[in-house]
Amino acid sequence: MPRLIKSLCLASLFLANAGASGAQGAVHAPGHTQEPKRPNFVFIMTDDQDLHLNSLDYMPKLKRVIADEGTVFRRHFCTIAVCCPSRVSLMTGKLAHNTNVTDVVPPYGGYPKFVAEGHNDNYLPVWLQNAGYNTYCTGKFLNSHSTSNYNNPYPKGWNGTDFLLDPSTYSYWNSTFQSNRAAPVVSGGYSTDLISNYARGFIQEAHGSDRPFFIGIAPIAPHAKTAAVEGSSIPAFTNPAPAERHANKFPDAKVPRGENFNPDKPSGASWVLNLPRLNSTEVTYMDEYYRRRLQSLVVGKLEDYGLLDNTYIFYTSDNGYHVGQHRMVPGKGCPYEEDINVPMMVRGPRVPKGRTMDVVTSHTDIAATLFDLAGVPLREDFDGLPMPLTSSEMQDAKHDPRREHVSVEYWGTNIQEGDIGRTSATGAAVIYGNNTYKAMRVIGDSSNLFYSVWCTNEHELYDLKNDPYQMRNLFKSSESKLLGRDIKQVISRLDALLLVLKSCKSSECTLPWEVLHPDKRVTSLSEALNPKYDAFYAAQPDISFSACELGYFPESEGPQEGYAYRRNGDWSNWA
Ligand SMILES: *[C@@H]1O[C@H](CO)[C@@H](O)[C@H](O)[C@H]1NC(C)=O
Ligand SMILES: *[C@@H]1O[C@H](CO)[C@@H](O)[C@H](O)[C@H]1NC(C)=O
Ligand SMILES: *[C@@H]1O[C@H](CO)[C@@H](O)[C@H](O)[C@H]1NC(C)=O
Ligand SMILES: *[C@@H]1O[C@H](CO)[C@@H](O)[C@H](O)[C@H]1NC(C)=O
Ligand SMILES: *[C@@H]1O[C@H](CO)[C@@H](O)[C@H](O)[C@H]1NC(C)=O
C-alpha cells in the first residue's frame, strides 16, 4: 500500500524539509464497494503556536495541504493555556479540574502527576488500542517526561514511540530521543526534522497492518528554546531556533500591532495589570522573537501528494501564545484570546474542503471526536462532545448544536519567556504569581463575551464584538447596557454559568444551562437573560477565591454549588 505512505508523508512533510521526492502524482480514491475500514488518524500538534499573531500566514503549504483540503475551525480553544495540562485534557477528554494535572512540573503537573492520577492507564492511546487501533507517537509527550523517569513507568498505550525527553526537549538541536523500550540517545540534527523522519517510519510500520492507526506528531516548534541555569530550578528561555536553511526567512515580519500590543494604558488583571510598558529595545526584541517563531515553523517543500481517502488529519497547537500583548513579554498561560484561541484544521472523509466553521469547539472535544469517527461509544466521563465536522452534524443531537461556551482555567504562576529585560540576575526566567483564575468565552448568535474571575477576586468582562483586543473591562466600567439588558443582569448570568463550569463534570460541562434550569427551558445566555429570571440569578452565590493556590484546591475556590430553577418559579440547590 505505497499510496498510504505517500499520502501520509504529507503530514510530516510540512513539518520539515523531508525531501519530498518520492510521492509522484496524486492517487485517487478507489471504487467504493466494501465496508470502509475504520478511519486512520494523524494528529499533528505544534507547541505554543498562535492563531492571533498570524503564524499560519507563514505556512502556505499547511494551508494548501490541510486548510484548503479540509475545514478550519476558527473558534477552537484550549481549556488551559499551558502545554502539559492542555495535552492531558486533550488525551483524556476532561477539563483540567477533572484530571488534576494543572502544571508542567510536579507536584501539580508534569508526567509524574499524569501517572499518579492514573491517567497513564486510562487515556486516548489505551482506549484506541482497545478499540483495535495501532497507535504511534513522536515528539514531545508531556513536560517533566525525562531521561530519569521515561521508564518509570513507560507511557502506556503506544505501539511505537520516539519521544523527546527533558531536560533537552526544547534545545532544538542535539535533543535526547527515546524509542519504545530503548535507552535514551542524543540525536544530532534539528529536532523537527527528526520527528518528521520518525513519523514517516511509523507510517511505514502502520500500513502493513489490518488495523487502523493513530499517529501523534508533536514537534516543539515554535516553543522558546530553553537552557538550564546553574543553581536554579527555573531554566532560561531564549528565542526559538530555526533550522539553518530557514534562518533568514521573513526579515521584515513584525508582531501585528493590534490595540493590545504594548498599550499606553495597562490592561488585564492581576499581575498583567501592573506590567510596565515595554521600551523600544524590548519592542525590537519582540519583533525578533516573533521572526524566530516563524522561522522555526517554516516547512519543507511539498511538491506533490496523494490523497488518502480514509485518514483524518488534524492540525492544532497545545495552546496559543502572546508576544507583547497587554505589555507582556513572550509567554502563555493567560486567559486572553491570543493564548486560548488556537489553530485547528481537519481534513478527511466527508470533511468539507476549503471551509471555515464558526462553531465553538475545544481541545476537550477531541477525544470524543476521535471516538465518534472510530465508531466507539463515548465515555460517560468525557467533558466534551464530538466536534461537528460537517454542516449536517451541526444540526444533530450527538454533536449538540447548543455550543456557545468554553471554560478556561489555570492554577499557579506565569513564566516570562524570552531573554530580555524581565529575566532575573542569574538569567533564569522571571515568574509572576497570582495566575490562578476561572474564565470562559461565551459566543452566541448575538454575544461574543469573555468573563473571568481571578484568585485575587478581580473580575473581567470584555465584549469582543466591540472590543476584540480585550482592552475595555466592562466589569468596572461605567457602561450600563450589554446585550440589551442592564450589565449587572448579564454579569449575574455569567457568574452562574461560570459557577457551573468551574467544577463541572461530564455532561454538566457541555450542557451547563441544564444544571441551572433542569426543565431545559433555558439553553443559552440569551434565553437566560429573560427578565423573569432576574431574581433567580440575583440569588445565586457569587464566585470568589479565598486564596491564590498553586494547584487545584476546591476549598480555596469559593462556593461550589448554586441554585436550580424549579417549575413553580422557585429555586433550590443543584442536584
Ligand atoms: C499494537 O498493540 C496492541 C495492544 O498491545 C496489539 O494488540 C497490536 O497487535 C499491536 N499492533 C502491532 C502492529 O503490533
Ligand atoms: C551538537 O553536538 C555536537 C557534538 O557534541 C556539537 O559539535 C554541535 O555544536 C552541537 N550543536 C548544537 C547546535 O549545539
Ligand atoms: C529597556 O529596558 C531594558 C531593561 O528591561 C534595558 O536594558 C534597556 O536599556 C532599555 N532600553 C531603553 C531604550 O531604554
Ligand atoms: C497576589 O495578590 C495579592 C492580593 O491582591 C497580593 O497581596 C499579593 O502580593 C500577590 N502576590 C503575588 C506573588 O503577586
Ligand atoms: C490535586 O492534586 C494536588 C497535588 O497532588 C492535591 O494536593 C489536591 O488535593 C488535588 N485536588 C483534588 C481536588 O483532588
Side-chain angles (χ1 to χ4, degrees), residues 432-434 456 548:
Y432 286 107
N434 288 355
T456 54
C548 284

Side-chain angles (χ1 to χ4, degrees), residues 266-293:
S267 50
S270 193
W271 60 274
V272 183
L273 193 56
N274 298 320
L275 293 175
R277 206 161 180 237
L278 302 167
N279 69 27
S280 60
T281 321
E282 291 165 324
V283 168
T284 305
Y285 175 79
M286 297 302 142
D287 287 328
E288 168 64 11
Y289 189 94
Y290 178 74
R291 281 191 287 276
R292 291 297 192 111
R293 282 172 57 78

Side-chain angles (χ1 to χ4, degrees), residues 435-457:
N435 199 55
T436 296
Y437 54 78
K438 301 283 181 176
M440 65 181 180
R441 292 281 279 114
V442 181
I443 309 175
D445 292 339
S446 55
S447 56
N448 188 351
L449 305 179
F450 168 92
Y451 185 63
S452 71
V453 180
W454 291 68
C455 62
T456 54
N457 290 317

